[in-house]
Amino acid sequence: APTISKLFHNSEHTQLIFLAKFTTRWILYFGTPILLFVVLLPSEILHLAFGKDYLTGTIPLFWLTIGQLFYITFGIADQYFLMTGHQKSWLAISFLTFILTIVLDLFFIPRFGLVGAAIVSCAMMLLIGLLALVGIKYLLNFWIVDFQLLKPWLASIVSGVFTYLAIQHWEFSPTYHVLITLGLSGFLFVCALLLLGIEKEDILIVKQIFHRN
């Protein structure tokens, strides 16, 4: 946040854009494989973590995880509103989604229960992200999401499909099932990302980290 404020007030627009896209990519690199894993095995995770009595939360957990995938796609968009003097715009977006959440919950929860609440939460995550995306374009004149950010999403879809097809034929115990799925989905995500091509600045950062270590 302090870096965003400094770059904005020093009129370093190019660096401001770079920071937004770079940070969002790395949020996706780390967050997407974990969330993908939860999408693939929501019931197994709940069973291992809390017991079979919590399996009724499988579908809500699935929708909440999809919502988080939407949320991390837009990275640190909220910080760009708050640290560039556009906090009122962010307040308006937050207030709008807050009101819509209440209205939709009043309709969906009595009819669909916990699943309805989870679907509303997922939809609001998508909505607040889209509003933030358009708002930043209008106020700061750049798009956070571009083709570079499509790569982690494409890698997730590819790795998710292949992992899903593979685990359909496995007959392991729940613990091994979860561990193997986590390893396989993560491995396939990295492979797909490498095939799609990692940005040069990301490779440079990784090399610098290994060099320091």
Side-chain angles (χ1 to χ4, degrees):
T3 304
I4 294 171
S5 178
K6 179 182 177 181
L7 293 174
F8 177 74
H9 288 96
N10 289 340
S11 299
E12 298 182 58
H13 194 67
T14 302
Q15 292 300 316
L16 194 68
I17 297 172
F18 172 81
L19 178 64
K21 295 185 177 183
F22 177 82
T23 307
T24 303
R25 279 203 310 275
W26 279 89
I27 290 173
L28 286 172
Y29 290 160
F30 283 102
T32 304
I34 298 172
L35 294 173
L36 173 65
F37 165 64
V38 179
V39 168
L40 289 170
L41 296 177
S43 59
E44 287 82 356
I45 293 172
L46 285 175
H47 189 189
L48 286 177
F50 305 107
K52 62 180 181 180
D53 294 336
Y54 289 83
L55 290 179
T56 53
T58 297
I59 297 178
L61 178 60
F62 172 84
W63 283 108
L64 289 172
T65 306
I66 296 296
Q68 289 301 311
L69 282 168
F70 290 142
Y71 184 74
I72 67 172
T73 300
F74 303 99
I76 54 173
D78 55 340
Q79 295 298 319
Y80 272 75
F81 282 92
L82 299 175
M83 304 309 296
T84 59
H86 299 102
Q87 61 274 7
K88 291 183 179 179
S89 297
W90 183 248
L91 177 62
I93 291 174
S94 301
F95 182 74
L96 174 62
T97 53
F98 172 70
I99 296 299
L100 283 175
T101 299
I102 293 176
V103 172
L104 292 174
D105 278 341
L106 289 173
F107 177 81
F108 279 91
I109 292 177
R111 292 165 176 78
F112 305 104
L114 192 59
V115 175
I119 292 175
V120 170
S121 176
C122 177
M124 291 302 100
M125 288 293 184
L126 176 60
L127 177 62
I128 198 171
L130 291 174
L131 291 175
L133 183 70
V134 175
I136 289 178
K137 173 60 179 177
Y138 177 76
L139 297 171
L140 301 177
N141 196 32
F142 72 90
W143 294 104
I144 286 183
V145 176
D146 57 11
F147 178 72
Q148 294 176 350
L149 295 183
L150 289 178
K151 292 180 181 180
W153 265 97
L154 290 174
S156 300
I157 294 172
V158 171
S159 58
V161 169
F162 279 98
T163 302
Y164 176 79
L165 293 175
I167 64 178
Q168 298 306 304
H169 307 288
W170 291 350
E171 296 182 358
F172 297 110
S173 65
T175 302
Y176 285 112
H177 192 55
V178 167
L179 292 175
I180 294 174
T181 301
L182 176 61
L184 179 62
S185 61
F187 173 75
L188 291 176
F189 176 80
V190 173
C191 291
L193 197 59
L194 291 174
L195 289 174
L196 290 170
I198 300 178
E199 302 304 317
K200 293 181 179 179
E201 54 265 27
D202 294 340
I203 297 175
L204 179 61
I205 290 295
V206 172
K207 288 182 178 180
Q208 289 177 348
I209 292 172
F210 278 103
H211 178 71
R212 290 177 182 175
N213 291 335

